[in-house]
Amino acid sequence: MHHARFRDPAGSIREGTYDPETDTVAFAGEAYALDDPAIDVLPPAEPTKIVCIGRNYADHAAELDNEVPDRPLLFLKPPNALASHGDEIAVPAGKDRIDWEAEIAVVIGEQCKSVDAADAMDVVAGFTCMNDVSNRDDQNREQNWVRGKAFDGAAPLGPVLATPDEVPADASVELRVNGETKQSSDRSHLMFDVPTLIEEITTYLTLEPGDVISTGTPEGVGALSDGDTVEVEVEGVGTLEHDVRVP
């Protein structure tokens, strides 16, 4: 099953059932096309935090000339980084390189702490798409990556939430910029799989309902330009689309 959050024509925030065959979201007997200008598609979760994983694909670590970490490399994005399907995100001005990073994102369904990997999927509400937009200029100068990763609009998320049964164990992830494929891989290539990530994260952090784990990006990152249209497609979820504005 798929779910979508949206603001209806009256301005109320709703959560409805999404039909991928008709590209519509239904609530209380009304159905809207996802691209209907009368509604605003919202991120499919309201996280208190987004826990991101660095270098979780070996080919991405190699393209950055970095070692593969011996344990999940964790960093945070705050809620201000969220952006929605269909948004135009304004990236920080005056930077030489703002990169795209397509990622499979996990949405947590219940408050959890110290979760064993064997039980980890029990706390997963579903999967969605994310673009971990990255300001390389500042990321390369700092250790905590606040300027590099946490700026407004740095986490486009969506368009819908797919329950775990909809997303294959080897689900593909692909990113296109202006229609041209830039990244293509699949979930089976994660260095640390979703249960391992949940076990590691909840050793240190309590995760709340709606919190997001973004599982890392494959090879093929590159620089965004003003006016770009970015699509992130995850098999079983759908396609997140957003535009880019460089001030």
Side-chain angles (χ1 to χ4, degrees):
M1 185 175 290
H2 295 76
H3 304 277
R5 292 178 64 249
F6 65 101
R7 185 175 288 105
D8 71 12
S12 299
I13 294 176
R14 307 297 192 189
E15 182 172 326
T17 302
Y18 174 73
D19 183 345
E21 292 188 1
T22 61
D23 197 32
T24 58
V25 57
F27 176 84
E30 295 286 340
Y32 304 94
L34 215 63
D35 60 358
D36 188 334
I39 69 169
D40 294 317
V41 180
L42 303 174
E46 295 183 275
T48 67
K49 53 191 169 293
I50 304 166
V51 186
C52 300
I53 315 301
R55 302 182 217 155
N56 203 19
Y57 289 79
D59 56 8
H60 174 56
E63 75 174 337
L64 297 181
D65 198 26
N66 289 324
E67 297 291 332
V68 174
D70 60 1
R71 63 176 184 172
L73 193 165
L74 310 180
F75 61 94
L76 295 174
K77 290 196 177 211
N80 67 280
L82 281 176
S84 300
H85 173 72
D87 279 356
E88 178 185 74
I89 65 165
V91 301
K95 306 299 178 183
D96 288 333
R97 184 159 173 171
I98 307 287
D99 277 10
W100 62 73
E101 292 193 8
E103 308 206 1
I104 300 172
V106 180
V107 177
I108 298 298
E110 62 186 69
Q111 186 182 75
C112 54
K113 180 74 165 67
S114 301
V115 179
D116 189 272
D119 303 316
M121 293 306 297
D122 293 342
V123 305
V124 173
F127 295 86
T128 191
C129 312
M130 196 176 109
N131 186 5
D132 173 18
V133 184
S134 301
N135 164 14
R136 300 295 191 207
D137 291 34
D138 288 307
Q139 182 185 0
N140 292 334
R141 293 179 59 192
E142 60 187 6
Q143 292 185 336
N144 55 24
W145 295 358
V146 172
R147 297 174 185 84
K149 294 283 193 175
F151 53 89
D152 291 349
L157 189 75
V160 302
L161 177 71
T163 50
D165 59 294
E166 298 280 357
V167 181
D170 61 349
S172 61
V173 56
E174 183 173 293
L175 180 138
R176 298 179 291 274
V177 179
N178 304 324
E180 181 180 350
T181 299
K182 299 293 188 179
Q183 291 181 282
S184 183
S185 189
D186 69 69
R187 183 177 163 191
S188 71
H189 288 96
L190 292 171
M191 301 295 297
F192 302 102
D193 64 12
V194 171
T196 300
L197 295 176
I198 292 173
E199 180 177 80
E200 177 69 14
I201 291 165
T202 60
T203 299
Y204 299 91
L205 307 180
T206 298
L207 293 175
E208 303 291 346
D211 281 353
V212 170
I213 300 171
S214 200
T215 59
T217 198
E219 178 186 22
V221 301
L224 293 163
S225 300
D226 187 46
D228 280 347
T229 296
V230 180
E231 297 170 278
V232 177
E233 182 174 1
V234 172
E235 182 181 359
V237 176
T239 303
L240 166 71
E241 181 177 323
H242 70 84
D243 295 331
V244 176
R245 179 169 60 87
V246 179

